[in-house]
Amino acid sequence: MNWTIKKLLEWNTDYFTKNGIESARLEAEVLIAFSLDLRRLDLYLKFDQPVSDEELQKLKALIKRRVAHEPMAYIVGKKEFWSRDFYVNKDVLVPRPDTEVLVQTVLDEFESLGSLKGLEVGLGSGCIAITLLSELVDLKMNAVEISPEAVAIAGKNATYHGVNKRLAVKQEDFLKSALAQAESAQYGF
């Protein structure tokens, strides 16, 4: 069979639907566009474009991962949060749309305060701290993250969004450190 983008899109949508992928058409578009290094719009502009065997093999591997219910964000390596793309992988949680409510709440409360300092414990991908830093230009943030892999992802995201100079990240077990400090203060040693 000679595969075109249109045939792939139809087949992939049907396959995802049969395998319980909720937004089958959207996810098929995203995966095909990612595997072919195209924008989603280009899929429709190039409906009749043939797909090579090499491209099919790459797509097939991605489809298997998605049907195994690996999050789409891990497959494509990024997730949109607050209209910004963030790099993600299995070392961080996928940013969730409902976390944007937290960002909006912070912005509503602190937007007019001028110079601010903040702390995020459990930085992960950095989507919360980086979004706040992007929105509040006078904000400086400290963050603590136990995972060195997550620290690396957050650092990549902070650099990508141009806020790395205002984000200081420390890699440590915050709870263990806080308990040790509390114990020292309580018992005087």
Side-chain angles (χ1 to χ4, degrees):
M1 172 183 246
N2 292 328
W3 287 95
T4 62
I5 290 176
K6 180 181 179 183
K7 287 179 186 175
L8 270 180
L9 189 54
E10 291 168 352
W11 181 89
N12 197 183
T13 300
D14 184 53
Y15 189 70
F16 277 175
T17 300
K18 289 177 182 173
N19 282 278
I21 304 296
E22 283 187 33
S23 301
R25 179 68 176 210
L26 172 63
E27 294 207 16
E29 290 173 358
V30 169
L31 213 54
I32 293 168
F34 174 74
S35 71
L36 299 176
D37 197 25
L38 298 171
R39 297 173 302 157
R40 280 180 47 214
L41 173 63
D42 292 333
L43 299 178
Y44 294 94
L45 298 174
K46 300 179 179 189
F47 244 14
D48 296 324
Q49 177 178 308
V51 179
S52 72
D53 288 340
E54 183 180 302
E55 291 169 327
L56 281 172
Q57 291 309 312
K58 180 181 176 183
L59 179 60
K60 183 178 177 181
L62 299 176
I63 291 169
K64 284 181 180 180
R65 290 171 63 188
R66 185 61 192 118
V67 169
H69 298 287
E70 182 175 346
M72 181 65 81
Y74 292 163
I75 296 170
V76 300
K78 65 182 178 178
K79 176 69 176 169
E80 184 180 301
F81 182 85
W82 203 265
S83 299
R84 293 178 173 88
D85 283 336
F86 285 85
Y87 298 106
V88 295
N89 65 20
K90 63 178 178 49
D91 297 316
V92 297
L93 296 174
V94 176
R96 298 177 47 88
D98 36 330
T99 305
E100 292 182 352
V101 174
L102 171 68
V103 170
Q104 186 63 60
T105 301
V106 171
L107 291 174
D108 290 346
E109 293 297 320
F110 297 105
E111 200 164 30
S112 62
L113 293 179
S115 182
L116 298 169
K117 292 183 180 179
L119 170 68
E120 183 173 3
V121 178
L123 182 64
S125 68
C127 67
I128 296 171
I130 292 166
T131 299
L132 291 172
L133 287 164
S134 297
E135 296 292 322
L136 300 169
V137 295
D138 292 324
L139 176 65
K140 292 186 177 150
M141 294 279 299
N142 291 306
V144 180
E145 173 57 57
I146 192 171
S147 164
E149 295 84 5
V151 168
I153 291 290
K156 184 177 179 179
N157 283 321
T159 299
Y160 178 75
H161 291 289
V163 299
N164 52 314
K165 302 260 192 260
R166 295 186 291 129
L167 177 63
V169 181
K170 185 172 185 180
Q171 192 259 309
E172 74 172 352
D173 183 336
F174 180 79
L175 182 58
K176 185 177 179 181
S177 180
L179 289 173
Q181 287 179 5
E183 189 174 282
S184 294
Q186 183 178 0
Y187 300 108
F189 45 83

Coordinates of all heavy atoms in Angstrom, one line a residue, residues 38-105:
L38 N 6.3 18.2 10.8 CA 5.4 19.2 10.2 C 4.6 19.9 11.2 O 4.4 19.3 12.3 CB 4.5 18.5 9.2 CG 5.1 17.8 8.0 CD1 4.1 16.9 7.2 CD2 5.8 18.8 7.0
R39 N 4.0 21.0 10.8 CA 2.9 21.6 11.7 C 1.6 20.8 11.4 O 1.5 20.2 10.3 CB 2.7 23.0 11.3 CG 4.0 23.9 11.6 CD 3.7 25.3 11.0 NE 3.4 25.2 9.6 CZ 2.8 26.1 8.9 NH1 2.4 27.2 9.5 NH2 2.6 26.0 7.6
R40 N 0.7 20.8 12.4 CA -0.6 20.1 12.1 C -1.3 20.6 10.9 O -1.8 19.9 10.1 CB -1.5 20.2 13.4 CG -1.1 19.3 14.5 CD -2.0 19.4 15.7 NE -3.4 19.4 15.4 CZ -4.3 20.2 16.1 NH1 -3.8 20.9 17.1 NH2 -5.5 20.1 15.8
L41 N -1.2 21.9 10.7 CA -1.8 22.5 9.5 C -1.2 21.9 8.2 O -2.0 21.7 7.2 CB -1.6 24.0 9.5 CG -2.0 24.8 8.2 CD1 -3.5 24.7 8.0 CD2 -1.6 26.3 8.4
D42 N 0.1 21.6 8.2 CA 0.7 21.1 7.0 C 0.1 19.7 6.6 O 0.2 19.3 5.4 CB 2.2 20.9 7.2 CG 2.9 22.3 7.3 OD1 2.4 23.2 6.7 OD2 4.0 22.3 8.0
L43 N -0.4 19.0 7.6 CA -1.0 17.7 7.3 C -2.1 17.9 6.2 O -2.3 17.1 5.3 CB -1.6 17.0 8.5 CG -0.5 16.7 9.6 CD1 -1.3 16.1 10.8 CD2 0.5 15.8 9.1
Y44 N -2.9 18.9 6.4 CA -4.0 19.2 5.5 C -3.6 19.8 4.2 O -4.3 19.7 3.2 CB -5.1 20.0 6.3 CG -5.7 19.2 7.4 CD1 -5.2 19.3 8.7 CD2 -6.7 18.3 7.1 CE1 -5.7 18.5 9.7 CE2 -7.2 17.5 8.2 CZ -6.7 17.6 9.5 OH -7.2 16.8 10.4
L45 N -2.5 20.6 4.3 CA -2.0 21.2 3.1 C -1.2 20.2 2.2 O -1.1 20.4 1.0 CB -1.1 22.3 3.4 CG -1.7 23.5 4.2 CD1 -0.6 24.5 4.6 CD2 -2.8 24.2 3.4
K46 N -0.8 19.1 2.8 CA 0.0 18.1 2.1 C -0.7 16.7 2.1 O -0.1 15.7 2.2 CB 1.4 18.0 2.7 CG 2.1 19.3 2.6 CD 3.5 19.2 3.2 CE 4.2 20.5 3.1 NZ 5.6 20.4 3.5
F47 N -2.0 16.7 2.1 CA -2.8 15.5 2.2 C -2.3 14.3 1.3 O -2.3 13.2 1.8 CB -4.3 15.8 1.8 CG -5.3 15.6 3.0 CD1 -4.9 15.5 4.3 CD2 -6.6 15.6 2.7 CE1 -5.8 15.3 5.3 CE2 -7.6 15.5 3.7 CZ -7.2 15.3 5.0
D48 N -1.9 14.6 0.1 CA -1.6 13.6 -0.8 C -0.1 13.3 -0.9 O 0.4 12.5 -1.7 CB -2.0 14.0 -2.3 CG -3.5 14.1 -2.3 OD1 -4.2 13.3 -1.7 OD2 -4.0 15.0 -3.0
Q49 N 0.7 13.9 0.0 CA 2.1 13.6 0.1 C 2.4 12.2 0.5 O 1.9 11.7 1.5 CB 2.8 14.6 1.1 CG 4.3 14.4 1.2 CD 4.9 15.4 2.2 OE1 4.7 16.5 2.0 NE2 5.6 14.9 3.2
P50 N 3.2 11.5 -0.3 CA 3.5 10.1 0.1 C 4.4 10.1 1.4 O 5.2 11.0 1.6 CB 4.3 9.5 -1.1 CG 4.5 10.6 -2.0 CD 3.8 11.8 -1.5
V51 N 4.4 9.0 2.1 CA 5.2 8.8 3.3 C 6.1 7.7 3.1 O 5.7 6.6 2.6 CB 4.3 8.5 4.5 CG1 5.1 8.3 5.8 CG2 3.2 9.7 4.7
S52 N 7.4 7.9 3.4 CA 8.4 6.9 3.1 C 8.3 5.7 4.1 O 7.7 5.9 5.2 CB 9.8 7.5 3.2 OG 10.2 7.8 4.5
D53 N 9.0 4.6 3.8 CA 9.0 3.5 4.7 C 9.7 3.9 6.0 O 9.3 3.4 7.1 CB 9.7 2.3 4.1 CG 8.9 1.6 3.0 OD1 7.7 1.8 3.0 OD2 9.5 0.9 2.1
E54 N 10.7 4.6 5.9 CA 11.5 5.1 7.1 C 10.5 5.9 8.0 O 10.5 5.8 9.3 CB 12.7 5.9 6.7 CG 13.5 6.4 7.9 CD 14.7 7.2 7.4 OE1 15.5 6.6 6.6 OE2 14.9 8.3 7.8
E55 N 9.8 6.8 7.4 CA 8.8 7.7 8.2 C 7.7 6.8 8.8 O 7.3 7.0 9.9 CB 8.2 8.7 7.3 CG 9.2 9.8 6.9 CD 8.7 10.7 5.8 OE1 8.0 10.3 4.9 OE2 9.1 11.9 5.8
L56 N 7.3 5.8 8.1 CA 6.3 4.9 8.6 C 6.8 4.1 9.8 O 6.0 3.9 10.8 CB 5.8 3.9 7.5 CG 4.8 4.4 6.5 CD1 4.6 3.4 5.4 CD2 3.5 4.7 7.1
Q57 N 8.0 3.7 9.8 CA 8.6 2.9 10.9 C 8.7 3.8 12.1 O 8.4 3.4 13.2 CB 9.9 2.3 10.5 CG 9.8 1.2 9.5 CD 8.8 0.1 9.8 OE1 8.8 -0.4 11.0 NE2 8.0 -0.2 8.9
K58 N 9.1 5.0 11.9 CA 9.2 6.0 13.0 C 7.8 6.2 13.6 O 7.6 6.1 14.9 CB 9.8 7.3 12.6 CG 9.9 8.3 13.7 CD 10.5 9.6 13.1 CE 10.5 10.7 14.2 NZ 11.0 12.0 13.7
L59 N 6.8 6.4 12.8 CA 5.5 6.7 13.3 C 4.9 5.4 14.0 O 4.3 5.5 15.0 CB 4.5 7.1 12.1 CG 3.1 7.3 12.5 CD1 2.9 8.4 13.5 CD2 2.3 7.6 11.2
K60 N 5.2 4.3 13.4 CA 4.7 3.0 14.0 C 5.2 2.9 15.5 O 4.4 2.5 16.4 CB 5.1 1.8 13.2 CG 4.6 0.5 13.6 CD 5.1 -0.6 12.7 CE 4.6 -2.0 13.2 NZ 5.1 -3.1 12.3
A61 N 6.4 3.2 15.7 CA 7.0 3.1 17.0 C 6.3 4.1 18.0 O 6.0 3.7 19.1 CB 8.5 3.4 17.0
L62 N 6.0 5.3 17.5 CA 5.3 6.3 18.3 C 3.9 5.8 18.6 O 3.4 6.0 19.7 CB 5.3 7.6 17.6 CG 6.7 8.2 17.4 CD1 6.6 9.5 16.6 CD2 7.5 8.4 18.6
I63 N 3.2 5.3 17.6 CA 1.8 4.8 17.8 C 1.8 3.7 18.9 O 0.9 3.7 19.7 CB 1.2 4.3 16.5 CG1 1.0 5.5 15.5 CG2 -0.1 3.5 16.7 CD1 0.7 5.1 14.1
K64 N 2.7 2.8 18.8 CA 2.8 1.7 19.8 C 2.9 2.3 21.3 O 2.2 1.8 22.2 CB 3.9 0.8 19.6 CG 3.7 -0.2 18.4 CD 4.9 -1.1 18.2 CE 4.7 -2.1 17.1 NZ 5.8 -3.0 16.9
R65 N 3.7 3.3 21.4 CA 3.9 3.9 22.7 C 2.6 4.6 23.2 O 2.2 4.5 24.3 CB 5.0 5.0 22.6 CG 6.4 4.4 22.5 CD 7.5 5.4 22.2 NE 7.6 6.4 23.3 CZ 8.4 7.5 23.2 NH1 9.1 7.7 22.1 NH2 8.5 8.3 24.3
R66 N 1.9 5.3 22.3 CA 0.6 5.9 22.7 C -0.5 4.9 23.0 O -1.2 5.1 24.0 CB 0.2 6.9 21.6 CG -1.0 7.7 22.0 CD -0.7 8.6 23.2 NE -1.9 9.2 23.8 CZ -2.4 8.9 25.0 NH1 -1.7 8.1 25.8 NH2 -3.5 9.5 25.4
V67 N -0.6 3.9 22.2 CA -1.6 2.9 22.5 C -1.3 2.1 23.8 O -2.2 1.7 24.4 CB -1.7 1.9 21.3 CG1 -2.5 0.7 21.6 CG2 -2.3 2.6 20.1
A68 N 0.0 2.1 24.2 CA 0.3 1.6 25.5 C 0.0 2.6 26.6 O 0.4 2.4 27.8 CB 1.8 1.1 25.5
H69 N -0.6 3.7 26.2 CA -1.0 4.8 27.2 C 0.1 5.6 27.8 O 0.0 6.1 28.8 CB -2.0 4.2 28.2 CG -3.2 3.7 27.6 ND1 -4.2 4.5 27.1 CD2 -3.6 2.4 27.4 CE1 -5.2 3.7 26.6 NE2 -4.8 2.5 26.7
E70 N 1.2 5.6 27.0 CA 2.3 6.6 27.4 C 1.7 8.0 27.1 O 1.2 8.2 26.0 CB 3.6 6.3 26.6 CG 4.7 7.2 27.0 CD 6.0 6.9 26.4 OE1 6.1 5.8 25.8 OE2 6.9 7.7 26.4
P71 N 1.9 8.9 28.0 CA 1.4 10.3 27.8 C 2.0 10.9 26.5 O 3.2 10.7 26.2 CB 1.8 11.0 29.0 CG 2.0 10.0 30.1 CD 2.5 8.8 29.4
M72 N 1.1 11.5 25.7 CA 1.5 12.2 24.5 C 2.7 13.1 24.7 O 3.6 13.2 23.9 CB 0.4 12.9 23.9 CG 0.7 13.5 22.5 SD 1.1 12.4 21.2 CE -0.5 11.9 20.7
A73 N 2.7 13.8 25.9 CA 3.7 14.8 26.2 C 5.1 14.1 26.3 O 6.1 14.7 25.8 CB 3.4 15.5 27.5
Y74 N 5.1 12.9 26.8 CA 6.4 12.2 26.9 C 6.9 11.7 25.5 O 8.1 11.7 25.2 CB 6.3 11.0 27.8 CG 6.1 11.4 29.3 CD1 5.7 10.4 30.2 CD2 6.4 12.6 29.8 CE1 5.5 10.7 31.5 CE2 6.2 12.9 31.1 CZ 5.8 11.9 32.0 OH 5.6 12.2 33.3
I75 N 5.9 11.4 24.7 CA 6.3 10.9 23.3 C 6.9 12.1 22.5 O 7.9 11.9 21.8 CB 5.1 10.3 22.6 CG1 4.6 9.0 23.4 CG2 5.4 10.0 21.2 CD1 3.3 8.5 23.0
V76 N 6.2 13.2 22.5 CA 6.7 14.4 21.7 C 7.7 15.2 22.5 O 8.4 16.1 21.9 CB 5.6 15.2 21.2 CG1 4.6 14.4 20.3 CG2 4.8 15.9 22.3
G77 N 7.9 15.0 23.8 CA 8.9 15.7 24.5 C 8.6 17.1 25.0 O 9.5 17.8 25.4
K78 N 7.3 17.5 24.9 CA 6.9 18.8 25.3 C 5.4 18.9 25.7 O 4.7 18.0 25.2 CB 7.3 19.9 24.3 CG 6.5 19.8 23.0 CD 6.9 20.8 22.0 CE 6.2 20.6 20.7 NZ 6.5 21.6 19.7
K79 N 5.1 19.9 26.4 CA 3.7 20.1 26.8 C 3.4 21.6 26.9 O 4.2 22.3 27.4 CB 3.4 19.4 28.1 CG 2.0 19.6 28.7 CD 0.9 18.9 27.8 CE -0.4 19.1 28.5 NZ -1.5 18.7 27.6
E80 N 2.3 22.0 26.4 CA 1.9 23.4 26.5 C 1.4 23.7 27.9 O 0.6 22.9 28.4 CB 0.9 23.8 25.4 CG 0.6 25.3 25.4 CD -0.4 25.7 24.4 OE1 -0.1 25.5 23.2 OE2 -1.5 26.2 24.8
F81 N 1.8 24.8 28.5 CA 1.3 25.3 29.8 C 1.3 26.8 29.7 O 2.3 27.4 29.4 CB 2.2 24.8 30.9 CG 1.7 25.2 32.3 CD1 0.8 24.4 32.9 CD2 2.2 26.3 32.9 CE1 0.3 24.7 34.2 CE2 1.8 26.7 34.2 CZ 0.8 25.9 34.8
W82 N 0.2 27.4 30.0 CA 0.0 28.9 29.9 C 0.5 29.4 28.6 O 1.2 30.4 28.5 CB 0.8 29.5 31.1 CG 0.3 30.9 31.5 CD1 0.8 32.1 31.1 CD2 -0.8 31.2 32.4 NE1 0.1 33.1 31.7 CE2 -0.8 32.6 32.5 CE3 -1.7 30.4 33.1 CZ2 -1.8 33.2 33.3 CZ3 -2.6 31.0 33.9 CH2 -2.6 32.4 34.0
S83 N 0.1 28.8 27.5 CA 0.5 29.1 26.1 C 2.0 29.1 25.9 O 2.5 29.8 25.0 CB -0.1 30.5 25.8 OG -1.5 30.5 25.9
R84 N 2.7 28.4 26.7 CA 4.2 28.2 26.5 C 4.5 26.7 26.4 O 3.9 25.9 27.1 CB 4.9 28.8 27.7 CG 4.8 30.3 27.8 CD 5.6 30.8 29.0 NE 5.6 32.3 29.1 CZ 4.7 33.0 29.6 NH1 3.6 32.5 30.2 NH2 4.8 34.3 29.6
D85 N 5.5 26.4 25.6 CA 5.9 25.0 25.5 C 7.0 24.8 26.6 O 7.9 25.6 26.8 CB 6.5 24.7 24.1 CG 5.4 24.5 23.0 OD1 4.3 24.2 23.4 OD2 5.7 24.7 21.9
F86 N 6.8 23.6 27.2 CA 7.8 23.2 28.2 C 8.3 21.8 27.8 O 7.5 20.9 27.5 CB 7.1 23.1 29.6 CG 6.9 24.5 30.2 CD1 5.8 25.2 29.9 CD2 7.9 25.0 31.1 CE1 5.7 26.5 30.5 CE2 7.7 26.3 31.6 CZ 6.6 27.0 31.3
Y87 N 9.6 21.6 27.9 CA 10.2 20.3 27.7 C 9.8 19.4 28.9 O 9.8 19.8 30.0 CB 11.7 20.4 27.6 CG 12.2 21.2 26.5 CD1 12.7 22.5 26.7 CD2 12.2 20.7 25.2 CE1 13.2 23.3 25.7 CE2 12.6 21.5 24.1 CZ 13.1 22.8 24.4 OH 13.6 23.5 23.3
V88 N 9.4 18.2 28.6 CA 9.1 17.2 29.6 C 9.6 15.8 29.1 O 9.9 15.6 28.0 CB 7.6 17.1 29.8 CG1 7.0 18.3 30.4 CG2 6.8 16.7 28.6
N89 N 9.8 15.0 30.1 CA 10.1 13.6 29.9 C 9.7 12.8 31.1 O 9.0 13.4 32.0 CB 11.6 13.4 29.6 CG 12.6 13.7 30.7 OD1 12.2 13.8 31.9 ND2 13.8 14.0 30.4
K90 N 10.0 11.5 31.2 CA 9.5 10.7 32.2 C 10.0 11.1 33.6 O 9.5 10.6 34.6 CB 9.9 9.2 32.0 CG 11.4 9.0 31.9 CD 11.7 7.5 31.7 CE 13.2 7.3 31.6 NZ 14.0 7.8 32.6
D91 N 11.0 12.0 33.7 CA 11.6 12.4 35.0 C 10.8 13.5 35.6 O 11.1 13.9 36.8 CB 13.0 12.9 34.7 CG 13.9 11.8 34.3 OD1 13.8 10.7 34.8 OD2 14.7 12.0 33.3
V92 N 9.8 14.1 34.9 CA 8.9 15.1 35.5 C 7.4 14.8 35.2 O 7.1 14.1 34.3 CB 9.3 16.5 35.0 CG1 10.7 16.9 35.3 CG2 9.1 16.6 33.5
L93 N 6.6 15.3 36.0 CA 5.1 15.2 35.8 C 4.8 16.1 34.6 O 5.4 17.1 34.3 CB 4.3 15.6 37.0 CG 4.5 14.7 38.2 CD1 3.8 15.3 39.4 CD2 4.1 13.3 38.0
V94 N 3.7 15.6 33.9 CA 3.2 16.4 32.7 C 2.4 17.6 33.3 O 1.5 17.4 34.1 CB 2.3 15.6 31.8 CG1 1.7 16.4 30.7 CG2 3.1 14.4 31.2
P95 N 2.7 18.8 32.9 CA 2.0 20.0 33.4 C 0.5 19.8 33.1 O 0.1 19.4 32.0 CB 2.6 21.2 32.6 CG 4.0 20.7 32.3 CD 3.8 19.2 32.0
R96 N -0.4 20.1 34.0 CA -1.8 19.9 33.9 C -2.5 21.3 33.7 O -2.1 22.3 34.3 CB -2.4 19.2 35.1 CG -1.8 17.8 35.2 CD -2.3 17.1 36.5 NE -3.7 17.2 36.6 CZ -4.6 16.4 36.1 NH1 -4.2 15.4 35.4 NH2 -5.9 16.6 36.3
P97 N -3.5 21.3 32.9 CA -4.3 22.6 32.7 C -4.9 23.1 34.0 O -4.9 24.3 34.2 CB -5.4 22.2 31.7 CG -4.9 20.9 31.0 CD -4.0 20.2 32.0
D98 N -5.3 22.3 34.9 CA -5.9 22.8 36.2 C -4.8 23.5 37.0 O -5.2 24.3 37.9 CB -6.6 21.7 36.9 CG -6.0 20.3 36.9 OD1 -5.4 20.0 35.9 OD2 -6.2 19.6 37.9
T99 N -3.5 23.2 36.8 CA -2.5 23.9 37.5 C -2.4 25.4 37.1 O -1.9 26.2 37.8 CB -1.1 23.2 37.4 OG1 -1.3 21.8 37.8 CG2 0.0 23.8 38.2
E100 N -2.9 25.7 35.9 CA -3.0 27.1 35.5 C -3.8 27.9 36.4 O -3.6 29.1 36.5 CB -3.4 27.1 34.0 CG -2.4 26.5 33.0 CD -2.8 26.6 31.6 OE1 -4.0 27.0 31.3 OE2 -2.0 26.3 30.7
V101 N -4.8 27.3 37.0 CA -5.6 28.0 38.0 C -4.7 28.6 39.2 O -4.9 29.7 39.6 CB -6.8 27.1 38.6 CG1 -7.5 27.8 39.7 CG2 -7.7 26.7 37.4
L102 N -3.8 27.7 39.6 CA -2.9 28.2 40.6 C -2.0 29.4 40.2 O -1.9 30.4 40.9 CB -1.9 27.0 41.0 CG -0.8 27.4 41.9 CD1 -1.2 27.7 43.3 CD2 0.2 26.2 42.0
V103 N -1.5 29.3 39.0 CA -0.8 30.4 38.4 C -1.6 31.7 38.3 O -1.2 32.8 38.7 CB -0.2 30.1 37.0 CG1 0.4 31.3 36.3 CG2 0.8 29.0 37.1
Q104 N -2.8 31.6 37.9 CA -3.7 32.7 37.8 C -4.0 33.3 39.1 O -4.0 34.5 39.3 CB -5.1 32.4 37.1 CG -6.0 33.6 36.8 CD -5.3 34.6 35.9 OE1 -5.0 34.2 34.8 NE2 -5.1 35.8 36.4
T105 N -4.2 32.5 40.1 CA -4.5 32.9 41.5 C -3.3 33.7 42.0 O -3.4 34.8 42.6 CB -4.8 31.7 42.4 OG1 -5.9 31.1 41.9 CG2 -5.0 32.2 43.9

